[in-house]
Amino acid sequence: DLPLGTAGALKLLPESLNDSFMLINGDVLTKTNFQNVLNYHSKNDAEITICAREQILNSPYGVIEVDGINFQSMVEKPTFRQLVNAGIYVLNPSVVHGVPRHTYVDMPELLQRQAASEDVYVFPIHEYWSDIGNHDALQQAQSEWL
C-alpha cells in the first residue's frame, strides 16, 4: 500500500534469506551471463555487485571549456564514455537486513550508503543489453533481438 522504492521493497523478502541473490530491473533485456556475475560477486567477497554498461555519447557540437568567462579550449564534436547502471545487482542478505522497514529507499541511496561502509563492486557487462523502459527502446530491441 506504500511506495517503497526498489531497495525498500527488498524488506518484503523473507527474513530467512540466507544466500546472495540477483535483482534485475523489469525493463532490462540482456544476454549477460548471470553465472559469471554471481561468480564475480562471490570471488570478490562483495556485499553488493552492480553491473555497469559502457555508454558512448557523441556530442553533435563543439564543447567549450571555460574558466569563469575566459575561453580555455574547444573540442569539436567529442565522444564521452561513461559507465551506466545496467539495472542488474547481486546482494548479500546482510544488505537487506540493513534496509529500514516501511521506508522508501531507492537503489542509488542504498548503494551510496552501503559503499560508505561495505564492499560494493562493479561488474562491467559487454554482452547485449538494452533498457526497454520506453516504447522506442522496446521497438529497437525487438528488431535487434531477432
mmCIF file of all heavy atoms in Angstrom, residues 40-90:
data_model
loop_
_atom_site.group_PDB
_atom_site.id
_atom_site.type_symbol
_atom_site.label_atom_id
_atom_site.label_comp_id
_atom_site.label_asym_id
_atom_site.label_seq_id
_atom_site.Cartn_x
_atom_site.Cartn_y
_atom_site.Cartn_z
ATOM 1 N N TYR A 40 31.736 -13.636 -9.898
ATOM 2 C CA TYR A 40 32.497 -12.417 -9.628
ATOM 3 C C TYR A 40 32.168 -11.881 -8.233
ATOM 4 O O TYR A 40 33.050 -11.517 -7.454
ATOM 5 C CB TYR A 40 32.152 -11.388 -10.707
ATOM 6 C CG TYR A 40 32.818 -10.044 -10.592
ATOM 7 C CD1 TYR A 40 34.044 -9.812 -11.190
ATOM 8 C CD2 TYR A 40 32.193 -8.989 -9.933
ATOM 9 C CE1 TYR A 40 34.651 -8.565 -11.130
ATOM 10 C CE2 TYR A 40 32.790 -7.740 -9.856
ATOM 11 C CZ TYR A 40 34.009 -7.534 -10.454
ATOM 12 O OH TYR A 40 34.601 -6.308 -10.388
ATOM 13 N N HIS A 41 30.876 -11.849 -7.920
ATOM 14 C CA HIS A 41 30.407 -11.377 -6.613
ATOM 15 C C HIS A 41 31.013 -12.219 -5.494
ATOM 16 O O HIS A 41 31.557 -11.691 -4.520
ATOM 17 C CB HIS A 41 28.876 -11.437 -6.569
ATOM 18 C CG HIS A 41 28.283 -11.038 -5.275
ATOM 19 N ND1 HIS A 41 28.099 -9.718 -4.920
ATOM 20 C CD2 HIS A 41 27.828 -11.778 -4.231
ATOM 21 C CE1 HIS A 41 27.555 -9.670 -3.723
ATOM 22 N NE2 HIS A 41 27.376 -10.900 -3.278
ATOM 23 N N SER A 42 30.953 -13.517 -5.666
ATOM 24 C CA SER A 42 31.467 -14.444 -4.649
ATOM 25 C C SER A 42 32.987 -14.351 -4.529
ATOM 26 O O SER A 42 33.531 -14.266 -3.425
ATOM 27 C CB SER A 42 31.042 -15.867 -5.007
ATOM 28 O OG SER A 42 31.565 -16.776 -4.086
ATOM 29 N N LYS A 43 33.678 -14.356 -5.663
ATOM 30 C CA LYS A 43 35.142 -14.315 -5.674
ATOM 31 C C LYS A 43 35.680 -13.061 -4.981
ATOM 32 O O LYS A 43 36.699 -13.099 -4.297
ATOM 33 C CB LYS A 43 35.639 -14.376 -7.114
ATOM 34 C CG LYS A 43 37.144 -14.285 -7.252
ATOM 35 C CD LYS A 43 37.556 -14.303 -8.720
ATOM 36 C CE LYS A 43 39.051 -14.056 -8.841
ATOM 37 N NZ LYS A 43 39.468 -13.926 -10.223
ATOM 38 N N ASN A 44 34.985 -11.938 -5.163
ATOM 39 C CA ASN A 44 35.433 -10.673 -4.577
ATOM 40 C C ASN A 44 34.874 -10.424 -3.182
ATOM 41 O O ASN A 44 35.137 -9.382 -2.594
ATOM 42 C CB ASN A 44 35.069 -9.508 -5.509
ATOM 43 C CG ASN A 44 35.933 -9.511 -6.738
ATOM 44 O OD1 ASN A 44 37.133 -9.273 -6.666
ATOM 45 N ND2 ASN A 44 35.344 -9.829 -7.884
ATOM 46 N N ASP A 45 34.092 -11.366 -2.677
ATOM 47 C CA ASP A 45 33.514 -11.251 -1.341
ATOM 48 C C ASP A 45 32.787 -9.915 -1.183
ATOM 49 O O ASP A 45 32.947 -9.201 -0.185
ATOM 50 C CB ASP A 45 34.604 -11.422 -0.277
ATOM 51 C CG ASP A 45 34.023 -11.788 1.077
ATOM 52 O OD1 ASP A 45 32.923 -12.371 1.117
ATOM 53 O OD2 ASP A 45 34.665 -11.467 2.089
ATOM 54 N N ALA A 46 32.001 -9.564 -2.191
ATOM 55 C CA ALA A 46 31.287 -8.292 -2.213
ATOM 56 C C ALA A 46 30.012 -8.366 -1.377
ATOM 57 O O ALA A 46 29.432 -9.438 -1.213
ATOM 58 C CB ALA A 46 30.930 -7.923 -3.649
ATOM 59 N N GLU A 47 29.591 -7.234 -0.887
ATOM 60 C CA GLU A 47 28.273 -7.122 -0.255
ATOM 61 C C GLU A 47 27.233 -6.847 -1.340
ATOM 62 O O GLU A 47 26.138 -7.374 -1.289
ATOM 63 C CB GLU A 47 28.262 -6.005 0.795
ATOM 64 C CG GLU A 47 28.981 -6.371 2.070
ATOM 65 C CD GLU A 47 28.320 -7.520 2.809
ATOM 66 O OE1 GLU A 47 27.104 -7.468 3.080
ATOM 67 O OE2 GLU A 47 29.034 -8.495 3.117
ATOM 68 N N ILE A 48 27.616 -5.980 -2.277
ATOM 69 C CA ILE A 48 26.765 -5.683 -3.438
ATOM 70 C C ILE A 48 27.651 -5.665 -4.670
ATOM 71 O O ILE A 48 28.743 -5.105 -4.657
ATOM 72 C CB ILE A 48 26.061 -4.311 -3.324
ATOM 73 C CG1 ILE A 48 25.157 -4.239 -2.095
ATOM 74 C CG2 ILE A 48 25.264 -4.011 -4.598
ATOM 75 C CD1 ILE A 48 24.504 -2.879 -1.894
ATOM 76 N N THR A 49 27.171 -6.269 -5.739
ATOM 77 C CA THR A 49 27.797 -6.133 -7.053
ATOM 78 C C THR A 49 26.768 -5.464 -7.954
ATOM 79 O O THR A 49 25.612 -5.891 -8.009
ATOM 80 C CB THR A 49 28.206 -7.500 -7.632
ATOM 81 O OG1 THR A 49 29.191 -8.080 -6.770
ATOM 82 C CG2 THR A 49 28.778 -7.358 -9.023
ATOM 83 N N ILE A 50 27.192 -4.406 -8.617
ATOM 84 C CA ILE A 50 26.316 -3.704 -9.550
ATOM 85 C C ILE A 50 26.896 -3.864 -10.949
ATOM 86 O O ILE A 50 28.089 -3.653 -11.167
ATOM 87 C CB ILE A 50 26.160 -2.218 -9.168
ATOM 88 C CG1 ILE A 50 25.290 -1.477 -10.179
ATOM 89 C CG2 ILE A 50 27.492 -1.543 -8.957
ATOM 90 C CD1 ILE A 50 24.958 -0.053 -9.782
ATOM 91 N N CYS A 51 26.060 -4.264 -11.887
ATOM 92 C CA CYS A 51 26.504 -4.396 -13.272
ATOM 93 C C CYS A 51 26.436 -3.031 -13.949
ATOM 94 O O CYS A 51 25.505 -2.257 -13.726
ATOM 95 C CB CYS A 51 25.637 -5.386 -14.025
ATOM 96 S SG CYS A 51 25.858 -7.085 -13.478
ATOM 97 N N ALA A 52 27.446 -2.754 -14.752
ATOM 98 C CA ALA A 52 27.518 -1.477 -15.452
ATOM 99 C C ALA A 52 27.820 -1.721 -16.918
ATOM 100 O O ALA A 52 28.515 -2.658 -17.281
ATOM 101 C CB ALA A 52 28.600 -0.593 -14.832
ATOM 102 N N ARG A 53 27.323 -0.860 -17.729
ATOM 103 C CA ARG A 53 27.500 -0.943 -19.169
ATOM 104 C C ARG A 53 28.137 0.356 -19.653
ATOM 105 O O ARG A 53 27.756 1.430 -19.209
ATOM 106 C CB ARG A 53 26.133 -1.146 -19.817
ATOM 107 C CG ARG A 53 26.092 -1.086 -21.301
ATOM 108 C CD ARG A 53 26.561 -2.359 -21.887
ATOM 109 N NE ARG A 53 26.442 -2.253 -23.330
ATOM 110 C CZ ARG A 53 26.719 -3.218 -24.137
ATOM 111 N NH1 ARG A 53 27.105 -4.376 -23.675
ATOM 112 N NH2 ARG A 53 26.609 -3.060 -25.420
ATOM 113 N N GLU A 54 29.113 0.261 -20.552
ATOM 114 C CA GLU A 54 29.703 1.476 -21.095
ATOM 115 C C GLU A 54 28.722 2.124 -22.065
ATOM 116 O O GLU A 54 28.145 1.464 -22.929
ATOM 117 C CB GLU A 54 31.007 1.169 -21.826
ATOM 118 C CG GLU A 54 31.664 2.434 -22.336
ATOM 119 C CD GLU A 54 32.965 2.172 -23.054
ATOM 120 O OE1 GLU A 54 32.965 1.377 -24.016
ATOM 121 O OE2 GLU A 54 33.973 2.759 -22.656
ATOM 122 N N GLN A 55 28.531 3.410 -21.890
ATOM 123 C CA GLN A 55 27.686 4.183 -22.792
ATOM 124 C C GLN A 55 28.570 5.217 -23.468
ATOM 125 O O GLN A 55 29.379 5.881 -22.811
ATOM 126 C CB GLN A 55 26.558 4.881 -22.029
ATOM 127 C CG GLN A 55 25.650 5.675 -22.934
ATOM 128 C CD GLN A 55 24.585 6.428 -22.155
ATOM 129 O OE1 GLN A 55 24.854 6.968 -21.091
ATOM 130 N NE2 GLN A 55 23.383 6.449 -22.679
ATOM 131 N N ILE A 56 28.408 5.338 -24.769
ATOM 132 C CA ILE A 56 29.180 6.311 -25.538
ATOM 133 C C ILE A 56 28.218 7.382 -26.035
ATOM 134 O O ILE A 56 27.230 7.073 -26.709
ATOM 135 C CB ILE A 56 29.904 5.629 -26.719
ATOM 136 C CG1 ILE A 56 30.861 4.559 -26.187
ATOM 137 C CG2 ILE A 56 30.634 6.664 -27.558
ATOM 138 C CD1 ILE A 56 31.452 3.667 -27.247
ATOM 139 N N LEU A 57 28.515 8.619 -25.686
ATOM 140 C CA LEU A 57 27.706 9.747 -26.125
ATOM 141 C C LEU A 57 28.533 10.594 -27.074
ATOM 142 O O LEU A 57 29.661 10.975 -26.752
ATOM 143 C CB LEU A 57 27.277 10.597 -24.926
ATOM 144 C CG LEU A 57 26.447 9.892 -23.868
ATOM 145 C CD1 LEU A 57 26.274 10.783 -22.651
ATOM 146 C CD2 LEU A 57 25.100 9.494 -24.433
ATOM 147 N N ASN A 58 27.978 10.862 -28.223
ATOM 148 C CA ASN A 58 28.648 11.704 -29.208
ATOM 149 C C ASN A 58 27.965 13.067 -29.220
ATOM 150 O O ASN A 58 26.781 13.163 -29.533
ATOM 151 C CB ASN A 58 28.567 11.073 -30.602
ATOM 152 C CG ASN A 58 29.283 9.749 -30.656
ATOM 153 O OD1 ASN A 58 30.414 9.639 -30.223
ATOM 154 N ND2 ASN A 58 28.613 8.725 -31.154
ATOM 155 N N SER A 59 28.715 14.102 -28.897
ATOM 156 C CA SER A 59 28.149 15.439 -28.933
ATOM 157 C C SER A 59 28.114 15.935 -30.379
ATOM 158 O O SER A 59 29.123 15.852 -31.083
ATOM 159 C CB SER A 59 28.994 16.394 -28.089
ATOM 160 O OG SER A 59 28.499 17.715 -28.229
ATOM 161 N N PRO A 60 26.990 16.459 -30.809
ATOM 162 C CA PRO A 60 26.920 16.994 -32.172
ATOM 163 C C PRO A 60 27.524 18.401 -32.273
ATOM 164 O O PRO A 60 27.526 19.003 -33.338
ATOM 165 C CB PRO A 60 25.422 17.022 -32.459
ATOM 166 C CG PRO A 60 24.799 17.196 -31.115
ATOM 167 C CD PRO A 60 25.700 16.480 -30.141
ATOM 168 N N TYR A 61 28.056 18.911 -31.159
ATOM 169 C CA TYR A 61 28.554 20.276 -31.107
ATOM 170 C C TYR A 61 29.990 20.305 -30.603
ATOM 171 O O TYR A 61 30.452 19.399 -29.934
ATOM 172 C CB TYR A 61 27.697 21.131 -30.164
ATOM 173 C CG TYR A 61 26.226 21.044 -30.462
ATOM 174 C CD1 TYR A 61 25.379 20.317 -29.647
ATOM 175 C CD2 TYR A 61 25.694 21.674 -31.581
ATOM 176 C CE1 TYR A 61 24.024 20.221 -29.919
ATOM 177 C CE2 TYR A 61 24.337 21.591 -31.870
ATOM 178 C CZ TYR A 61 23.504 20.864 -31.039
ATOM 179 O OH TYR A 61 22.184 20.769 -31.325
ATOM 180 N N GLY A 62 30.661 21.402 -30.876
ATOM 181 C CA GLY A 62 31.957 21.656 -30.266
ATOM 182 C C GLY A 62 31.729 22.007 -28.802
ATOM 183 O O GLY A 62 30.845 22.794 -28.482
ATOM 184 N N VAL A 63 32.498 21.419 -27.913
ATOM 185 C CA VAL A 63 32.348 21.666 -26.480
ATOM 186 C C VAL A 63 33.430 22.637 -26.036
ATOM 187 O O VAL A 63 34.624 22.409 -26.286
ATOM 188 C CB VAL A 63 32.425 20.344 -25.685
ATOM 189 C CG1 VAL A 63 32.417 20.605 -24.186
ATOM 190 C CG2 VAL A 63 31.269 19.434 -26.077
ATOM 191 N N ILE A 64 33.004 23.692 -25.380
ATOM 192 C CA ILE A 64 33.915 24.750 -24.948
ATOM 193 C C ILE A 64 34.216 24.599 -23.462
ATOM 194 O O ILE A 64 33.308 24.428 -22.654
ATOM 195 C CB ILE A 64 33.303 26.139 -25.226
ATOM 196 C CG1 ILE A 64 33.121 26.332 -26.734
ATOM 197 C CG2 ILE A 64 34.149 27.247 -24.621
ATOM 198 C CD1 ILE A 64 32.404 27.610 -27.097
ATOM 199 N N GLU A 65 35.501 24.659 -23.125
ATOM 200 C CA GLU A 65 35.942 24.673 -21.731
ATOM 201 C C GLU A 65 36.207 26.119 -21.353
ATOM 202 O O GLU A 65 36.834 26.867 -22.120
ATOM 203 C CB GLU A 65 37.237 23.862 -21.570
ATOM 204 C CG GLU A 65 37.097 22.397 -21.910
ATOM 205 C CD GLU A 65 36.336 21.612 -20.860
ATOM 206 O OE1 GLU A 65 36.412 21.978 -19.672
ATOM 207 O OE2 GLU A 65 35.668 20.642 -21.232
ATOM 208 N N VAL A 66 35.717 26.519 -20.171
ATOM 209 C CA VAL A 66 35.914 27.892 -19.717
ATOM 210 C C VAL A 66 36.434 27.906 -18.290
ATOM 211 O O VAL A 66 36.273 26.940 -17.534
ATOM 212 C CB VAL A 66 34.611 28.718 -19.801
ATOM 213 C CG1 VAL A 66 34.129 28.864 -21.227
ATOM 214 C CG2 VAL A 66 33.531 28.118 -18.934
ATOM 215 N N ASP A 67 37.051 29.000 -17.936
ATOM 216 C CA ASP A 67 37.437 29.281 -16.560
ATOM 217 C C ASP A 67 36.761 30.609 -16.248
ATOM 218 O O ASP A 67 37.241 31.670 -16.686
ATOM 219 C CB ASP A 67 38.957 29.373 -16.431
ATOM 220 C CG ASP A 67 39.404 29.668 -15.008
ATOM 221 O OD1 ASP A 67 38.553 29.598 -14.086
ATOM 222 O OD2 ASP A 67 40.590 29.979 -14.822
ATOM 223 N N GLY A 68 35.615 30.545 -15.557
ATOM 224 C CA GLY A 68 34.812 31.760 -15.380
ATOM 225 C C GLY A 68 34.226 32.139 -16.711
ATOM 226 O O GLY A 68 33.480 31.385 -17.316
ATOM 227 N N ILE A 69 34.661 33.329 -17.228
ATOM 228 C CA ILE A 69 34.202 33.762 -18.557
ATOM 229 C C ILE A 69 35.318 33.676 -19.594
ATOM 230 O O ILE A 69 35.132 34.034 -20.758
ATOM 231 C CB ILE A 69 33.623 35.194 -18.507
ATOM 232 C CG1 ILE A 69 34.683 36.201 -18.072
ATOM 233 C CG2 ILE A 69 32.397 35.240 -17.615
ATOM 234 C CD1 ILE A 69 34.232 37.658 -18.182
ATOM 235 N N ASN A 70 36.469 33.154 -19.186
ATOM 236 C CA ASN A 70 37.617 33.064 -20.092
ATOM 237 C C ASN A 70 37.632 31.745 -20.849
ATOM 238 O O ASN A 70 37.582 30.672 -20.251
ATOM 239 C CB ASN A 70 38.922 33.205 -19.305
ATOM 240 C CG ASN A 70 39.046 34.559 -18.638
ATOM 241 O OD1 ASN A 70 38.794 35.578 -19.266
ATOM 242 N ND2 ASN A 70 39.410 34.552 -17.374
ATOM 243 N N PHE A 71 37.740 31.849 -22.153
ATOM 244 C CA PHE A 71 37.852 30.668 -23.016
ATOM 245 C C PHE A 71 39.145 29.933 -22.707
ATOM 246 O O PHE A 71 40.208 30.538 -22.601
ATOM 247 C CB PHE A 71 37.845 31.115 -24.488
ATOM 248 C CG PHE A 71 38.129 30.004 -25.458
ATOM 249 C CD1 PHE A 71 37.110 29.194 -25.906
ATOM 250 C CD2 PHE A 71 39.419 29.776 -25.922
ATOM 251 C CE1 PHE A 71 37.371 28.177 -26.811
ATOM 252 C CE2 PHE A 71 39.690 28.763 -26.816
ATOM 253 C CZ PHE A 71 38.662 27.954 -27.259
ATOM 254 N N GLN A 72 39.072 28.597 -22.572
ATOM 255 C CA GLN A 72 40.256 27.774 -22.343
ATOM 256 C C GLN A 72 40.577 26.916 -23.562
ATOM 257 O O GLN A 72 41.699 26.878 -24.017
ATOM 258 C CB GLN A 72 40.052 26.868 -21.120
ATOM 259 C CG GLN A 72 39.870 27.621 -19.819
ATOM 260 C CD GLN A 72 41.115 28.386 -19.434
ATOM 261 O OE1 GLN A 72 42.198 27.826 -19.347
ATOM 262 N NE2 GLN A 72 40.972 29.689 -19.225
ATOM 263 N N SER A 73 39.562 26.215 -24.066
ATOM 264 C CA SER A 73 39.784 25.336 -25.216
ATOM 265 C C SER A 73 38.437 24.928 -25.798
ATOM 266 O O SER A 73 37.385 25.167 -25.198
ATOM 267 C CB SER A 73 40.570 24.082 -24.796
ATOM 268 O OG SER A 73 39.792 23.301 -23.922
ATOM 269 N N MET A 74 38.518 24.285 -26.970
ATOM 270 C CA MET A 74 37.314 23.754 -27.591
ATOM 271 C C MET A 74 37.661 22.417 -28.242
ATOM 272 O O MET A 74 38.691 22.291 -28.906
ATOM 273 C CB MET A 74 36.749 24.704 -28.645
ATOM 274 C CG MET A 74 35.438 24.179 -29.233
ATOM 275 S SD MET A 74 34.592 25.351 -30.306
ATOM 276 C CE MET A 74 35.591 25.255 -31.776
ATOM 277 N N VAL A 75 36.808 21.448 -28.026
ATOM 278 C CA VAL A 75 36.954 20.137 -28.655
ATOM 279 C C VAL A 75 35.757 19.962 -29.578
ATOM 280 O O VAL A 75 34.602 20.050 -29.141
ATOM 281 C CB VAL A 75 37.001 19.002 -27.605
ATOM 282 C CG1 VAL A 75 37.110 17.658 -28.280
ATOM 283 C CG2 VAL A 75 38.134 19.234 -26.617
ATOM 284 N N GLU A 76 36.034 19.739 -30.847
ATOM 285 C CA GLU A 76 34.966 19.623 -31.835
ATOM 286 C C GLU A 76 34.311 18.242 -31.776
ATOM 287 O O GLU A 76 34.980 17.218 -31.925
ATOM 288 C CB GLU A 76 35.520 19.887 -33.239
ATOM 289 C CG GLU A 76 34.458 20.010 -34.315
ATOM 290 C CD GLU A 76 33.485 21.163 -34.081
ATOM 291 O OE1 GLU A 76 33.882 22.193 -33.499
ATOM 292 O OE2 GLU A 76 32.317 21.023 -34.478
ATOM 293 N N LYS A 77 33.015 18.228 -31.504
ATOM 294 C CA LYS A 77 32.181 17.019 -31.501
ATOM 295 C C LYS A 77 32.844 15.845 -30.746
ATOM 296 O O LYS A 77 33.101 14.788 -31.319
ATOM 297 C CB LYS A 77 31.821 16.615 -32.923
ATOM 298 C CG LYS A 77 31.040 17.696 -33.638
ATOM 299 C CD LYS A 77 30.695 17.323 -35.053
ATOM 300 C CE LYS A 77 29.962 18.500 -35.695
ATOM 301 N NZ LYS A 77 29.715 18.314 -37.088
ATOM 302 N N PRO A 78 33.093 16.035 -29.454
ATOM 303 C CA PRO A 78 33.783 14.990 -28.694
ATOM 304 C C PRO A 78 32.895 13.774 -28.408
ATOM 305 O O PRO A 78 31.672 13.847 -28.511
ATOM 306 C CB PRO A 78 34.149 15.698 -27.385
ATOM 307 C CG PRO A 78 33.072 16.711 -27.224
ATOM 308 C CD PRO A 78 32.753 17.182 -28.632
ATOM 309 N N THR A 79 33.556 12.707 -28.057
ATOM 310 C CA THR A 79 32.886 11.479 -27.620
ATOM 311 C C THR A 79 33.136 11.324 -26.130
ATOM 312 O O THR A 79 34.269 11.463 -25.667
ATOM 313 C CB THR A 79 33.455 10.267 -28.374
ATOM 314 O OG1 THR A 79 33.181 10.441 -29.771
ATOM 315 C CG2 THR A 79 32.834 8.971 -27.907
ATOM 316 N N PHE A 80 32.079 11.076 -25.393
ATOM 317 C CA PHE A 80 32.173 10.870 -23.949
ATOM 318 C C PHE A 80 31.858 9.413 -23.639
ATOM 319 O O PHE A 80 30.857 8.874 -24.112
ATOM 320 C CB PHE A 80 31.182 11.771 -23.205
ATOM 321 C CG PHE A 80 31.392 13.231 -23.452
ATOM 322 C CD1 PHE A 80 30.644 13.895 -24.416
ATOM 323 C CD2 PHE A 80 32.331 13.938 -22.732
ATOM 324 C CE1 PHE A 80 30.827 15.243 -24.650
ATOM 325 C CE2 PHE A 80 32.526 15.298 -22.962
ATOM 326 C CZ PHE A 80 31.770 15.950 -23.920
ATOM 327 N N ARG A 81 32.693 8.784 -22.845
ATOM 328 C CA ARG A 81 32.481 7.399 -22.417
ATOM 329 C C ARG A 81 32.207 7.409 -20.923
ATOM 330 O O ARG A 81 32.907 8.084 -20.168
ATOM 331 C CB ARG A 81 33.707 6.546 -22.705
ATOM 332 C CG ARG A 81 34.010 6.394 -24.166
ATOM 333 C CD ARG A 81 35.291 5.587 -24.386
ATOM 334 N NE ARG A 81 35.575 5.478 -25.789
ATOM 335 C CZ ARG A 81 35.117 4.496 -26.581
ATOM 336 N NH1 ARG A 81 34.392 3.546 -26.081
ATOM 337 N NH2 ARG A 81 35.419 4.491 -27.861
ATOM 338 N N GLN A 82 31.183 6.659 -20.528
ATOM 339 C CA GLN A 82 30.855 6.567 -19.117
ATOM 340 C C GLN A 82 30.219 5.217 -18.821
ATOM 341 O O GLN A 82 29.659 4.586 -19.719
ATOM 342 C CB GLN A 82 29.925 7.694 -18.711
ATOM 343 C CG GLN A 82 28.618 7.723 -19.491
ATOM 344 C CD GLN A 82 27.821 8.989 -19.266
ATOM 345 O OE1 GLN A 82 28.276 9.901 -18.601
ATOM 346 N NE2 GLN A 82 26.639 9.047 -19.812
ATOM 347 N N LEU A 83 30.330 4.797 -17.582
ATOM 348 C CA LEU A 83 29.655 3.578 -17.158
ATOM 349 C C LEU A 83 28.291 3.962 -16.620
ATOM 350 O O LEU A 83 28.160 4.902 -15.833
ATOM 351 C CB LEU A 83 30.458 2.855 -16.071
ATOM 352 C CG LEU A 83 31.748 2.205 -16.520
ATOM 353 C CD1 LEU A 83 32.465 1.577 -15.328
ATOM 354 C CD2 LEU A 83 31.484 1.139 -17.578
ATOM 355 N N VAL A 84 27.262 3.220 -17.056
ATOM 356 C CA VAL A 84 25.906 3.476 -16.583
ATOM 357 C C VAL A 84 25.384 2.232 -15.874
ATOM 358 O O VAL A 84 25.803 1.108 -16.143
ATOM 359 C CB VAL A 84 24.952 3.878 -17.731
ATOM 360 C CG1 VAL A 84 25.420 5.176 -18.375
ATOM 361 C CG2 VAL A 84 24.820 2.783 -18.766
ATOM 362 N N ASN A 85 24.471 2.466 -14.969
ATOM 363 C CA ASN A 85 23.839 1.392 -14.221
ATOM 364 C C ASN A 85 23.042 0.512 -15.189
ATOM 365 O O ASN A 85 22.162 0.994 -15.890
ATOM 366 C CB ASN A 85 22.921 1.994 -13.158
ATOM 367 C CG ASN A 85 22.166 0.969 -12.363
ATOM 368 O OD1 ASN A 85 22.377 -0.227 -12.494
ATOM 369 N ND2 ASN A 85 21.270 1.452 -11.520
ATOM 370 N N ALA A 86 23.337 -0.785 -15.204
ATOM 371 C CA ALA A 86 22.643 -1.714 -16.094
ATOM 372 C C ALA A 86 21.384 -2.300 -15.450
ATOM 373 O O ALA A 86 20.671 -3.072 -16.083
ATOM 374 C CB ALA A 86 23.590 -2.843 -16.508
ATOM 375 N N GLY A 87 21.101 -1.953 -14.190
ATOM 376 C CA GLY A 87 19.897 -2.444 -13.536
ATOM 377 C C GLY A 87 19.971 -3.905 -13.140
ATOM 378 O O GLY A 87 18.947 -4.573 -13.015
ATOM 379 N N ILE A 88 21.188 -4.411 -12.949
ATOM 380 C CA ILE A 88 21.407 -5.804 -12.542
ATOM 381 C C ILE A 88 22.317 -5.764 -11.319
ATOM 382 O O ILE A 88 23.396 -5.169 -11.372
ATOM 383 C CB ILE A 88 22.067 -6.625 -13.661
ATOM 384 C CG1 ILE A 88 21.227 -6.573 -14.943
ATOM 385 C CG2 ILE A 88 22.304 -8.066 -13.213
ATOM 386 C CD1 ILE A 88 21.938 -7.116 -16.176
ATOM 387 N N TYR A 89 21.876 -6.394 -10.231
ATOM 388 C CA TYR A 89 22.610 -6.354 -8.970
ATOM 389 C C TYR A 89 22.688 -7.748 -8.365
ATOM 390 O O TYR A 89 21.795 -8.567 -8.570
ATOM 391 C CB TYR A 89 21.889 -5.474 -7.937
ATOM 392 C CG TYR A 89 21.421 -4.143 -8.448
ATOM 393 C CD1 TYR A 89 20.173 -3.994 -9.051
ATOM 394 C CD2 TYR A 89 22.219 -3.015 -8.317
ATOM 395 C CE1 TYR A 89 19.736 -2.769 -9.510
ATOM 396 C CE2 TYR A 89 21.786 -1.780 -8.770
ATOM 397 C CZ TYR A 89 20.540 -1.661 -9.362
ATOM 398 O OH TYR A 89 20.108 -0.450 -9.820
ATOM 399 N N VAL A 90 23.737 -7.981 -7.569
ATOM 400 C CA VAL A 90 23.793 -9.136 -6.680
ATOM 401 C C VAL A 90 23.942 -8.551 -5.282
ATOM 402 O O VAL A 90 24.781 -7.675 -5.056
ATOM 403 C CB VAL A 90 24.975 -10.076 -6.988
ATOM 404 C CG1 VAL A 90 24.954 -11.277 -6.049
ATOM 405 C CG2 VAL A 90 24.942 -10.540 -8.442
#
